Amino acid sequence: MVAQPAAIARTGSARPLLAVRGVTLGWRHERRDVVAAQNLSFDLEPGERLSLLGPSGCGKSTLLKAIAGFVPPAAGSIELDGIAITGPGPDRMPVFQEFDQLLPWRTVRGNVAWPLRASGRVKSRDEARARADDVLARVGLQDFADSFPHTLSGGMKQRVAIARALALQPELLLMDEPFAALDALTRRRLQEELLDLCEDLRLTLIFVTHAIDEAIVVGTR
Ligand code: ADP
Ligand code: MG
């Protein structure tokens, strides 16, 4: 657990960064109720890295999508900084498992810079470019800024997806099995790189995985 004073300094109160309260997630599917998660409650403090571990189908992705704002809770509430989440936003950036998260017709730099302007986080093209280059250097892709996604390996594509999320400087990074499709060695390397980024940038992370070893390596909780 990260000490409470960080939250107090940031918000002027002891309020957590994320508050999940009695959340139930589900759908009506072919005249049946499908419940993906039931009565979940937890807090997340700034700088924490929460590993969400569980078998396939237990509702991990659905919870992450609810926090991202894609899935409204059937019951309960999710608040970021004391404000109810009502839809997606650049303050909560997801990184998914799939390698096809990138726009194939844009360069690596373009993939990172474009959302900065589209979201209104950065106004000028030059500033977006500069921030993209800065964050690409952080993930070791400075020499590939002009490359197109199809020329990259899976691990490199995931680095671009991480860079794109980090460039937006989200309050919360949401990762859904981001390394699950990588070979064991690349996965190990990316886990270590992610931990370095978390330490350097003091990221707050929810990391979904079905691998126990990965949950332990990545998470503080
Ligand atoms: P996990 O990520 O832990 O593998 P999911 O959150 O993807 O699990 O799925 C949890 C449950 O919710 C599963 O039973 C799945 O079939 C169901 N589910 C997920 N998305 C939908 C949807 N859009 N409509 C109906 N059921 C869904
Ligand atoms: Mg899933």
Side-chain angles (χ1 to χ4, degrees):
M1 283 280 281
V2 166
Q4 200 76 304
I8 294 167
R10 187 178 50 84
T11 63
S13 75
R15 192 168 62 200
L17 176 63
L18 182 78
V20 175
R21 295 275 179 273
V23 165
T24 294
L25 300 164
W27 297 266
R28 191 91 193 136
H29 184 70
E30 294 180 355
R31 284 182 284 147
R32 270 188 330 117
D33 284 325
V34 179
V35 177
Q38 204 158 20
N39 197 20
L40 281 172
S41 297
F42 64 91
D43 285 347
L44 199 66
E45 305 294 343
E48 275 193 302
R49 300 191 300 271
L50 177 68
S51 284
L52 266 182
L53 176 70
S56 185
C58 78
K60 306 181 297 296
S61 293
T62 306
L63 175 61
L64 217 65
K65 286 174 193 165
I67 296 168
F70 299 121
V71 174
S77 68
I78 307 177
E79 292 185 352
L80 185 76
D81 257 331
I83 297 166
I85 287 168
T86 54
D91 51 356
R92 286 152 288 133
M93 279 303 295
V95 175
F96 300 105
Q97 173 180 343
E98 294 78 20
F99 294 158
D100 59 1
Q101 307 170 55
L102 306 176
L103 301 172
W105 62 88
R106 287 194 188 256
T107 63
V108 164
R109 181 188 291 113
N111 267 279
V112 177
W114 179 74
L116 287 171
R117 297 188 67 211
S119 66
R121 282 286 228 235
V122 164
K123 293 279 179 272
S124 87
R125 181 184 291 259
D126 286 348
E127 194 189 338
R129 208 183 144 93
R131 203 195 278 189
D133 283 346
D134 181 53
V135 81
L136 284 170
R138 278 196 172 273
V139 298
L141 288 180
Q142 60 279 1
D143 296 337
F144 296 88
D146 295 312
S147 301
F148 283 90
H150 73 274
T151 66
L152 306 180
S153 69
M156 291 161 88
K157 286 180 191 170
Q158 290 311 74
R159 284 193 184 90
V160 179
I162 292 168
R164 177 177 58 184
L166 293 181
L168 287 156
Q169 298 176 347
E171 291 200 68
L172 190 52
L173 190 57
L174 304 170
M175 302 183 99
D176 194 353
E177 309 206 28
F179 309 145
L182 297 170
D183 64 86
L185 292 177
T186 306
R187 198 172 134 198
R188 195 67 222 221
R189 190 163 348 113
L190 263 78
Q191 288 167 355
E192 277 162 21
E193 289 176 16
L194 176 65
L195 288 178
D196 287 345
L197 285 169
C198 285
E199 296 292 328
D200 284 358
L201 305 174
R202 201 157 184 276
L203 301 174
T204 312
L205 173 66
I206 301 183
F207 189 92
V208 166
T209 179
H210 61 252
I212 296 173
D213 57 339
E214 185 168 69
I216 292 168
V217 168
V218 172
T220 54
R221 193 176 143 199

